[in-house]
């Protein structure tokens, strides 16, 4: 039986900040920037695991690119 090593990106994030940074990096890798991406300040003040990630607002072009990337990934899977 083979054992697959877990990479840092595959393990659950240890903090809301880490989750946001991972998401920001993954989006950047596919050419998408969500300028308002952040830890929600209200829920983040209570600490993990209750913190939410605020994806913020984006324009139509970014929303369209994000949808295209997600569709492409679902076809590859």
């Amino acid at each position: 039986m083979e054992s697959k090593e877990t990479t840092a990106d595959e393990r659950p994030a240890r903090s809301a900040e880490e989750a946001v940074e991972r998401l920001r990096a993954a989006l950047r890798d596919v050419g998408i920037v969500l300028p308002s991406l952040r830890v929600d300040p209200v829920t983040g003040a209570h600490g993990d695991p209750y913190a939410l990630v605020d994806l913020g607002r984006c324009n139509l072009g970014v929303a369209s690119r994000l949808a295209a990337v997600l569709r492409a990934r679902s076809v590859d899977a």
Side-chain angles (χ1 to χ4, degrees):
M1 184 172 179
E2 289 184 35
S3 173
K4 181 184 175 212
E5 283 191 37
T6 302
T7 66
D9 287 338
E10 292 173 326
R11 69 165 173 71
R14 295 184 180 163
S15 69
E17 291 81 5
E18 181 182 356
V20 166
E21 288 310 312
R22 283 187 189 181
L23 180 55
R24 183 174 284 121
L27 288 167
R28 185 178 49 244
D29 287 349
V30 294
I32 296 172
V33 175
L34 296 177
S36 302
L37 180 64
R38 66 183 182 157
V39 175
D40 174 66
V42 174
T43 59
H46 297 283
D48 296 326
Y50 304 106
L52 298 175
V53 174
D54 184 352
L55 299 176
R57 304 179 319 163
C58 67
N59 64 34
L60 296 176
V62 171
S64 296
R65 284 198 323 272
L66 181 56
V69 167
L70 293 171
R71 272 196 294 282
R73 286 292 295 187
S74 69
V75 171
D76 293 341

